[in-house]
Amino acid sequence: MQEQPVIIIGAGPSGLATAASLNLHSIPYIILEREDCFASLWKKYAYDRLHLHLHKQFCQLPHLPFPHSYPRFISKQQFVSYLDDYVSHFKITPLYCRCVELAVFDEITKEWTVKVRNLGSGEVEEFRGRFLVVASGEATDPYTPEIEGLKSFPGDVLHSTQFKNGKAFRDKNVLVVGSGNSGMEIAMDLANHGAKTSIVVRSPVHILSREMVYLGLNLLKYIPLNMVDWLMVMLSKLVYRELSKYGLSRPKEGPFFMKVADGKYPVLDVGTYSKIRSREIQVLPAILRVKGNEVVFENAESHAFDTIVFCTGFKRSTHIWLKGDDYLLNDDGIPKPSFPNHWKGKNGLYCVGLSRRGLYGAGFDARNIADDIKSLLK
């Protein structure tokens, strides 16, 4: 058994930000990570052309700015390099290949007990600490929906975490399922590499440029969210015109409202929309079923495909291993309390990076958690 004042679960950007913030207060901690490296989503499971969708000022972690030489919108490779420097600078040393099986608060000792499976040795290890920080992130376990007949599909079925680039798909019929930023960008990458690309868009979407979002995030400091949303929709209509010609529609709610209320990001257009307008990317409605290599859609059309790429997000598994918490996190691993009071639970339980506010929100949480723990240790 090992004991430290703080146990951090997860060594993604949220966990690293928390570790750095604790370091500045000289508070000992231990950080447990399921994968064999930190920031595994970025290092192992992100597609090649990925860039941070927001301006770099909204994406840097606490206490260490990006290099001045970095562009406004940072590539995956640049962000990984920054995280390497971050870990080295703050001397963060996670314990890797530790899969959490149980975290429970002991009412007698007033400590958290965390049991993990060491994926290298197969042994169960135990850790104890006064404080527990859930930093396992919004993107924990890849999710692929159940679709009638999918098992009969003879081609390749991928999740976005398995997709790197479109080079191998030239002249192939590829269906992308999911119209978030990953789906839209992967569809564009496929089209750029000569794939015959279609994308399933089930729900209305906001399409904004990066510059629009940058303007909106800055305006939110000064004017109400509903006014910013109104301006974003007007600008989108001015630039992208009538979406319905291409099988798309806009939601009734504003883009920033939807981000806060449901965690649904607007689509930040990096070139996909022009390919939809030129019909290089075909927009299709929801899938009804799969019959062999034929996919049947809600509009009764069917099309044959060689590959299906699911860009359908992630599920969180916190509810499986976190026991005794009926206050902080819901069954989907999202905080029950509203922002800005979402990061602190009871009995020394905290969560970081789950406010649906991206890297900026993770930094906000990490600072608050470290400051709160410092005040309680006095």
Side-chain angles (χ1 to χ4, degrees), residues 145-155 157 289-293 308 310:
E146 292 186 8
I147 296 175
E148 180 185 340
L150 182 60
K151 290 182 179 179
S152 72
F153 185 74
V157 177
R289 58 187 172 275
V290 178
K291 297 170 63 177
N293 69 340
I308 302 175
F310 283 94

Side-chain angles (χ1 to χ4, degrees), residues 151-370:
K151 290 182 179 179
S152 72
F153 185 74
D156 292 328
V157 177
L158 307 175
H159 188 269
S160 60
T161 52
Q162 299 168 293
F163 180 91
K164 294 303 178 185
N165 58 63
K167 291 178 183 177
F169 301 95
R170 184 175 184 82
D171 296 325
K172 292 188 177 182
N173 290 299
V174 183
L175 178 64
V176 177
V177 182
S179 56
N181 281 295
S182 293
M184 288 288 191
E185 201 162 353
I186 285 173
M188 184 181 73
D189 192 66
L190 286 162
N192 285 342
H193 283 93
K196 300 167 187 175
T197 308
S198 301
I199 185 169
V200 170
V201 182
R202 296 173 51 203
S203 307
V205 292
H206 284 293
I207 299 180
L208 305 175
S209 70
R210 286 170 166 173
E211 291 73 19
M212 291 177 195
V213 173
Y214 178 69
L215 172 64
L217 287 171
N218 281 292
L219 287 175
L220 283 171
K221 301 174 186 176
Y222 308 106
I223 61 177
L225 184 146
N226 64 322
M227 294 179 65
V228 176
D229 270 347
W230 178 85
L231 178 61
M232 293 298 101
V233 172
M234 291 301 103
L235 289 172
S236 179
K237 288 180 177 179
L238 183 66
V239 172
Y240 298 109
R241 306 286 179 175
E242 184 51 60
L243 302 182
S244 61
K245 293 180 182 178
Y246 311 106
L248 303 170
S249 62
R250 290 185 176 89
K252 293 179 181 179
E253 301 87 358
F256 286 109
F257 173 84
M258 291 179 67
K259 176 68 178 68
V260 172
D262 305 317
K264 187 170 184 179
Y265 289 79
V267 171
L268 305 186
D269 181 46
V270 292
T272 307
Y273 185 66
S274 65
K275 292 192 175 294
I276 290 174
R277 287 202 309 175
S278 67
R279 311 294 181 180
E280 291 177 73
I281 297 175
Q282 177 182 209
V283 175
L284 294 169
I287 297 172
L288 278 182
R289 58 187 172 275
V290 178
K291 297 170 63 177
N293 69 340
E294 293 279 331
V295 180
V296 183
F297 299 89
E298 277 189 347
N299 60 0
E301 292 183 7
S302 65
H303 301 273
F305 294 98
D306 301 302
T307 301
I308 302 175
V309 183
F310 283 94
C311 302
T312 42
F314 300 82
K315 295 289 187 182
R316 286 149 293 279
S317 56
T318 321
H319 65 285
I320 297 174
W321 51 262
L322 181 61
K323 303 302 179 184
D325 169 49
D326 58 0
Y327 172 79
L328 185 60
L329 301 175
N330 64 21
D331 288 342
D332 192 31
I334 297 298
K336 295 178 184 177
S338 300
F339 182 90
N341 303 309
H342 60 283
W343 52 272
K344 183 176 181 179
K346 298 177 179 178
N347 298 322
L349 177 65
Y350 301 92
C351 67
V352 56
L354 296 173
S355 66
R356 294 170 167 169
R357 283 170 167 77
L359 293 166
Y360 180 83
F364 173 89
D365 297 344
R367 288 188 184 93
N368 282 332
I369 290 167

Side-chain angles (χ1 to χ4, degrees), residues 76-204:
K76 177 184 81 168
Q77 291 77 12
Q78 288 169 325
F79 188 59
V80 167
S81 178
Y82 166 75
L83 293 177
D84 287 339
D85 292 340
Y86 196 88
V87 166
S88 176
H89 181 81
F90 292 106
K91 297 179 174 59
I92 302 170
T93 55
L95 289 181
Y96 296 117
C97 301
R98 264 54 173 207
C99 183
V100 178
E101 296 187 344
L102 177 68
V104 61
F105 184 72
D106 189 323
E107 292 287 353
I108 297 174
T109 63
K110 303 299 180 185
E111 287 185 322
W112 286 91
T113 298
V114 178
K115 294 184 179 181
V116 304
R117 178 76 58 181
N118 185 322
L119 300 179
S121 66
E123 296 178 354
V124 174
E125 299 170 346
E126 186 172 301
F127 301 86
R128 288 189 182 180
R130 181 176 168 186
F131 305 101
L132 177 67
V133 182
V134 177
S136 45
E138 294 182 29
T140 307
D141 300 311
Y143 170 71
T144 300
E146 292 186 8
I147 296 175
E148 180 185 340
L150 182 60
K151 290 182 179 179
S152 72
F153 185 74
D156 292 328
V157 177
L158 307 175
H159 188 269
S160 60
T161 52
Q162 299 168 293
F163 180 91
K164 294 303 178 185
N165 58 63
K167 291 178 183 177
F169 301 95
R170 184 175 184 82
D171 296 325
K172 292 188 177 182
N173 290 299
V174 183
L175 178 64
V176 177
V177 182
S179 56
N181 281 295
S182 293
M184 288 288 191
E185 201 162 353
I186 285 173
M188 184 181 73
D189 192 66
L190 286 162
N192 285 342
H193 283 93
K196 300 167 187 175
T197 308
S198 301
I199 185 169
V200 170
V201 182
R202 296 173 51 203
S203 307

